Amino acid sequence: MKSIGNCLMLGLICGLTMNAPVAAQALPKGAAATVNGVEISESLLEKVVQNNLTRGIKDSPQLRQGLKDELIAREILTQQAEKLGLDKKPEAKAQWAEVRQNFLIELVLNDFLVKNPITDAELQAEYDRQLAAVKEISSFQQYQVSQILLGNESDARAVLLALKNGSSSFEQLAKDKSLDASKVQGGLLGWVLPNQILPEISNVMVNLGKGVVAAAPIQTRAGWHVVRVDDIRPFKAPAFDEIKDPLRSSAMQAKRLELLAALKKSAKVSQ
């Protein structure tokens, strides 16, 4: 779940409480505020404050008051939704069930990883295994690739036209238009081997020169890709420290699949 952010980013919600008259009264012990008798705890407020501090926001009375105002506003809106019975509607119940399910899934997976931590020895063993495998492809070329992912062909062709006209740079178009997470790096995907990306893209990529944009958008199940090869080099195996984080992510996924496989054995599934 996303942490509650700075009150200044949610002016509408904050305004609901900042502009509302607040009656002065003694609060229950441990409560930062109450809304129609429902307590907002000091511990919740402190957690929200700490979430902001970890993002580099300076602690201040104004910050704390703003965050308290936001918590009050959220409780007011929650109570209003319940008063109107919006939480009882079928679509609301379905969405809430999905949120609950995702939350519980994360809880059980995180619990499993805490009890079965990934060791550096396991990561080193996986690195050695992968290194032995890639020695067979040491003569391959690596490609540094950037992409702009669009939802439809017409948008992709419009981006190609903008590149051809020189009206905007590839990096800026990626930041403004791309649907892929790589947009924050201007579309940069990094160094890849042909077998590490979708064949629809790699089949075009291997025929492009350095700095060349594919002449036509490439369609995959993800959408329409405008692809550029930024650089080409002989394959170079990365050092262990360079790929330790990706190795850890892969190991975490493997452990999650291991847990699921074990649970499936004892589960009664009908379909």
Side-chain angles (χ1 to χ4, degrees):
M1 294 183 180
K2 295 183 179 178
S3 60
I4 300 171
N6 192 325
C7 183
L8 296 177
M9 298 174 65
L10 295 172
L12 175 60
I13 292 181
C14 294
L16 292 176
T17 53
M18 293 174 70
N19 296 328
V22 179
Q25 58 182 12
L27 293 172
K29 184 178 180 180
T34 64
V35 178
N36 298 322
V38 178
E39 294 183 14
I40 297 172
S41 69
E42 286 281 4
S43 60
L44 174 58
L45 175 59
E46 187 59 32
K47 180 180 179 181
V48 175
V49 170
Q50 292 304 316
N51 286 340
N52 279 262
L53 297 185
T54 58
R55 298 203 300 274
I57 300 173
K58 186 177 179 180
D59 197 356
S60 69
Q62 292 78 15
L63 172 68
R64 289 175 176 268
Q65 185 59 52
L67 293 174
K68 184 191 293 188
D69 286 339
E70 184 179 343
L71 290 172
I72 291 170
R74 291 167 68 88
E75 181 59 36
I76 289 172
L77 292 172
T78 298
Q79 291 184 24
Q80 180 65 9
E82 292 174 341
K83 181 180 178 180
L84 296 173
L86 301 180
D87 57 323
K88 302 297 192 296
K89 290 188 173 184
E91 59 269 26
K93 288 184 177 181
Q95 290 180 33
W96 182 247
E98 183 179 353
V99 170
R100 179 180 180 276
Q101 185 181 57
N102 290 337
F103 177 67
L104 292 175
I105 288 170
E106 284 303 310
L107 283 181
V108 72
L109 292 176
N110 290 336
D111 178 71
F112 181 74
L113 290 172
V114 168
K115 294 174 180 176
N116 300 272
I118 299 164
T119 66
D120 282 350
E122 288 176 307
L123 295 180
Q124 184 66 55
E126 177 60 17
Y127 173 76
D128 293 340
R129 185 193 69 78
Q130 292 189 18
L131 190 62
V134 299
K135 284 181 178 178
E136 301 176 4
I137 57 172
S138 58
S139 61
F140 280 22
Q141 296 282 351
Q142 271 185 312
Y143 298 80
Q144 189 180 53
V145 180
S146 294
Q147 73 159 358
I148 304 171
L149 176 62
L150 291 310
N152 56 67
E153 185 179 9
S154 61
D155 287 347
R157 292 196 177 278
V159 165
L160 278 174
L161 182 60
L163 289 172
K164 184 178 180 180
N165 295 339
S167 58
S168 189
S169 69
F170 191 100
E171 289 73 17
Q172 192 58 52
L173 285 167
K175 290 177 181 179
D176 293 343
K177 305 288 187 181
S178 184
L179 303 177
D180 189 70
S182 62
K183 65 185 298 178
V184 297
Q185 291 93 31
L188 181 64
L189 297 176
W191 290 97
V192 297
L193 290 165
N195 63 351
Q196 290 178 314
I197 61 174
L198 294 171
E200 297 96 328
I201 295 176
S202 65
N203 291 339
V204 176
M205 176 188 75
V206 296
N207 294 306
L208 298 177
K210 179 179 176 180
V212 177
V213 177
I218 303 168
Q219 185 182 17
T220 72
R221 60 180 178 272
W224 293 81
H225 307 252
V226 175
V227 174
R228 182 182 70 187
V229 170
D230 300 319
D231 204 354
I232 303 172
R233 71 182 184 188
F235 171 73
K236 178 184 177 183
F240 175 67
D241 287 341
E242 291 180 296
I243 61 168
K244 191 173 181 179
D245 288 341
L247 284 173
R248 187 176 299 278
S249 296
S250 297
M252 288 174 63
Q253 182 62 22
K255 281 188 175 290
R256 289 174 174 179
L257 293 175
E258 173 190 333
L259 171 63
L260 180 58
L263 293 174
K264 275 185 173 180
K265 289 182 179 179
S266 59
K268 296 180 180 179
V269 179
S270 300
Q271 53 183 328

